[in-house]
Amino acid sequence: MGREARSGAEPSLRAPRKRAGRLRALVLGAALLWACAPAPCAARSGEEQPARPAPERVRIRPRLRRAETSVSPLERAPIGRIVVQPGNVYDHDPDAPLASVRRLANRLHVRTRPATVRNELLFSTGEPWTAHAAEETARNLRGLDYLVPERIEARPEGDSVSVTVVTRDLWTTSPELNVETVGGTRTGSWGLAERNLFGFGKSVCFLYAQGSTAISRSLTYDDPNLSGSRVRLHLGFSRSVEGTGRSFDVGRPFYAEETPRSWDVAAQAATSVAHLYQDGREIASFDQRLEGFLLARGWRLPGDSTIVRLTGSFELLDRRYGPSRLAPGAPAEFAGGEENDRRRMLGADLLLWRPRYLELEEVDRWDRVEDFDVGPSVRLKAAVAPRALGSTVDEGLVQAQLACGLERALGFGWMRAGAESRLRRRPLDQYGYVEGRWYLVSARHTLVLAGLGQAEAHASRPWQLVVGGLNGLRAFPAQALAGRRLWRLNVEERWLATPREWDLLRAGTAVFYDAARAWGPGAAGTGWFQDAGFGVRLGFPQVGLAQVVRVDLAWPIEPTLGGRREAVLSIGSSQAF
């Protein structure tokens, strides 16, 4: 697996441990006390929930801005007509703050076309009106990141109903930014994205990434409704001094819970350099080439409360690895010669899913309603790759994934776990992970507890799991910690500081603690890496950014950076983990 490392002299990541264990215990103890405090979850699901008593000073639910549905007397009535009313970014209010700026933004913005919104609706004229379709449509519209559903309303009109869909546009020309500065060296990525090209809902994104080994540039194009249909198209291209990448994907996915069939055709080709690390510096590398093709067809099987989907696939995968280039002191496990691996796989994928959504505000982002699925799901996949179809050897593949969630008085959370393995005469390329989060939400506060564990065994080619920098260990270089197994823990407390009525900017602060540890080749002699810090969070209610603008200052607790505990600055257009 290709990784980027910081070039030049690396700061030492090893230093005597000073009261780190005591500080870690103090931080985790404080988080536990916070968790035991009476802070009811600010959640709202599609089902009516019984009211829960709560202390007067704690707000049970955050204020929700959700698409309204008027359904009860009209359930199953035929839809006679549908009126779509896309709104501009800002309302025409001459008395609003910075009214001239709002008017300029509206003039520069291309409003979403009514046909673009119609393409996303899960109901049409002649069909029966249902509350479930309206709620699922609202979720789908919120997921587009270029508009917000303000209202979905049905009213009687003769012997049918008239449905009005009111949306508000977001400013969709936005920067993409994730940058970290350690010891005077800057790594990260930045770019520009337009998510609603000419009001048609198409997306174009350019990204420039600077690592320690190479600079890369990428361009992607996404069309969620090709020629007004449910077919989606993705095109991607990237280039760097270490290789190029091309990807193509066209298909009709399961775009709704009741979608009966799906299909997909995808292809990719990429050349790159895989980097392996030890003690924060590159210790080995090798060239790799990947070519793949996928043809899949899916069906929704009969079921009421549980959604059951079966997908059959044929996949071609060709991998070529060059000989390893080892630096002095590299572990023997990093050595490897030239290798070619071909797989021609016939597979079947089974999904069992019982969705249950919570609609929340002020959790991962502060400017719009978010949808969290806490319903259980199980995905199982099995595939065979016989030599008769052109595979290098006879082998099989098994994969399993589990997801579930929970809502309690102390908050809500979710957990995901998965495992996979290639099967030859003995297991090969075994990988597993478990990831979970718990959110405690009260008035203007959100405490997030997160954990991630990963492990691999019997790898056919040397590779590593890497943590550091922008992926949840904010006071250390991007490849500070690498190995075959790792754990990462994060605790972050977020405060909303500005009034909720502000529609131009919302601001808040955060304090956080990060910890991670790795085992295996590349992690010899390292222990727990820990840091702590504080940051600023900015939300723009009218801008279609991914989540929030994040600015963090982090200090290493253990180990230090060359004997120093200097501040590390990181800036991102999304949360750090």
Side-chain angles (χ1 to χ4, degrees):
M1 297 175 64
R3 306 287 182 189
E4 295 178 352
R6 190 166 65 84
S7 60
E10 295 285 344
S12 172
L13 300 178
R14 305 179 186 219
R17 303 183 178 184
K18 298 179 181 180
R19 301 186 299 276
R22 187 181 308 170
L23 181 57
R24 182 168 68 242
L26 181 62
V27 172
L28 296 178
L32 182 60
L33 289 175
W34 207 106
C36 294
C41 170
R44 190 170 183 179
S45 70
E47 306 170 355
E48 269 312 303
Q49 301 294 322
R52 296 187 177 124
E56 293 181 0
R57 61 186 179 89
V58 178
R59 194 161 48 91
I60 297 179
R61 304 176 188 275
R63 186 172 65 89
L64 293 181
R65 298 191 304 271
R66 60 185 301 179
E68 301 175 1
T69 57
S70 173
V71 295
S72 298
L74 308 175
E75 191 76 8
R76 308 301 299 178
I79 299 175
R81 65 185 181 115
I82 300 174
V83 179
V84 176
Q85 300 175 357
N88 220 325
V89 178
Y90 296 103
D91 295 331
H92 297 284
D93 184 359
D95 299 325
L98 300 175
S100 60
V101 175
R102 297 167 186 257
R103 287 195 298 270
L104 178 60
N106 283 342
R107 291 193 184 103
L108 296 176
H109 172 74
V110 179
R111 189 181 303 191
T112 301
R113 301 169 188 271
T116 302
V117 180
R118 287 181 182 274
N119 289 337
E120 298 293 337
L121 302 182
L122 300 181
F123 47 83
S124 60
T125 55
E127 295 181 350
W129 164 261
T130 65
H132 180 78
E135 293 170 356
E136 191 175 4
T137 296
R139 284 197 300 271
N140 289 356
L141 292 175
R142 282 193 293 269
L144 296 176
D145 266 345
Y146 60 79
L147 57 78
V148 172
E150 294 284 356
R151 181 165 53 93
I152 301 177
E153 183 181 56
R155 295 182 177 180
E157 191 174 83
D159 57 355
S160 62
V161 297
S162 173
V163 180
T164 301
V165 180
V166 180
T167 64
R168 175 177 56 81
D169 274 9
L170 300 174
W171 181 266
T172 53
T173 303
S174 58
E176 302 286 332
L177 181 65
N178 282 285
V179 179
E180 180 193 44
T181 301
V182 182
T185 300
R186 180 180 302 165
T187 58
S189 62
W190 48 92
L192 188 67
E194 170 53 57
R195 295 186 176 86
N196 191 10
L197 193 64
F198 304 123
F200 288 107
K202 322 303 181 185
S203 173
V204 178
C205 180
F206 171 78
L207 197 64
Y208 176 96
Q210 177 179 328
S212 61
T213 59
I215 293 175
S216 65
R217 300 170 179 83
S218 63
L219 180 66
T220 59
Y221 172 80
D222 290 280
D223 186 345
N225 300 104
L226 188 63
S227 299
S229 69
R230 293 290 184 178
V231 176
R232 299 180 182 178
L233 172 68
H234 166 81
L235 300 173
F237 178 79
S238 64
R239 178 182 294 275
S240 73
V241 297
E242 294 185 339
T244 61
R246 299 179 300 276
S247 61
F248 166 83
D249 193 346
V250 61
R252 187 176 185 268
F254 289 108
Y255 56 86
E257 296 176 9
E258 301 299 326
T259 302
R261 290 177 295 277
S262 72
W263 61 269
D264 190 26
V265 178
Q268 61 174 325
T271 57
S272 61
V273 177
H275 303 274
L276 304 174
Y277 301 93
Q278 180 173 276
D279 197 19
R281 63 188 181 90
E282 183 179 326
I283 201 73
S285 65
F286 58 89
D287 299 328
Q288 60 180 356
R289 180 180 180 85
L290 167 67
E291 294 179 348
F293 175 79
L294 172 69
L295 180 64
R297 182 66 186 267
W299 300 267
R300 189 192 192 283
L301 304 183
D304 295 326
S305 58
T306 300
I307 296 173
V308 183
R309 293 171 178 166
L310 178 64
T311 302
S313 63
F314 174 66
E315 185 174 3
L316 288 75
L317 188 62
D318 290 350
R319 291 182 181 270
R320 179 192 176 279
Y321 302 104
S324 298
R325 298 178 289 269
L326 304 180
E333 294 90 340
F334 288 173
E338 184 171 328
E339 181 182 347
N340 290 279
D341 181 24
R342 298 189 310 276
R343 277 180 273 175
R344 308 291 186 265
M345 293 186 292
L346 293 170
D349 184 299
L350 178 66
L351 171 67
L352 292 88
W353 175 35
R354 184 171 292 179
R356 181 170 178 264
Y357 288 95
L358 307 178
E359 296 180 4
L360 300 171
E361 199 175 40
E362 301 164 14
V363 179
D364 283 332
R365 58 191 305 166
W366 287 340
D367 52 357
R368 287 190 293 283
V369 173
E370 302 169 78
D371 298 287
F372 294 88
D373 182 12
V374 295
S377 67
V378 177
R379 183 185 294 272
L380 303 172
K381 180 177 180 178
V384 294
R387 295 183 64 181
L389 292 179
S391 300
T392 304
V393 297
D394 291 324
E395 65 174 287
L397 174 72
V398 292
Q399 294 178 341
Q401 294 178 342
L402 169 69
C404 60
L406 195 64
E407 178 192 3
R408 289 293 182 266
L410 288 179
F412 79 99
W414 51 260
M415 185 273 292
R416 303 186 186 107
E420 65 177 71
S421 177
R422 296 170 66 183
L423 302 176
R424 294 186 178 178
R425 292 185 176 180
R426 63 178 181 85
L428 188 68
D429 289 340
Q430 294 177 300
Y431 171 75
Y433 74 93
V434 59
E435 180 181 14
R437 291 193 187 186
W438 191 261
Y439 296 91
L440 296 100
V441 183
S442 64
R444 309 183 77 87
H445 289 261
T446 300
L447 176 66
V448 187
L449 310 175
L452 170 67
Q454 296 174 287
E456 69 85 24
H458 307 298
S460 59
R461 185 71 182 189
W463 69 289
Q464 287 181 313
L465 304 164
V466 179
V467 65
L470 297 171
N471 65 350
L473 197 60
R474 283 164 273 194
F476 297 94
Q479 295 83 21
L481 205 52
R484 298 283 177 86
R485 294 176 293 146
L486 69 83
W487 279 101
R488 191 196 72 200
L489 307 173
N490 304 95
V491 180
E492 185 166 290
E493 166 75 352
R494 304 165 185 163
W495 290 275
L496 176 64
T498 55
R500 295 187 180 88
E501 291 73 23
W502 287 20
D503 63 349
L504 290 177
L505 171 68
R506 292 186 182 179
T509 59
V511 295
F512 56 84
Y513 168 79
D514 304 322
R517 185 173 183 179
W519 295 264
T526 61
W528 280 95
F529 282 53
Q530 304 170 75
D531 67 53
F534 66 89
V536 176
R537 303 290 183 268
L538 303 175
F540 300 88
Q542 314 291 359
V543 178
L545 290 173
Q547 291 181 336
V548 298
V549 174
R550 173 184 57 83
V551 181
D552 284 334
L553 275 178
W555 285 265
I557 299 173
E558 180 188 5
T560 59
L561 294 170
R564 308 182 309 278
R565 286 195 168 91
E566 62 184 28
V568 176
L569 173 67
S570 64
I571 303 173
S573 56
S574 63
Q575 300 288 2
F577 61 90

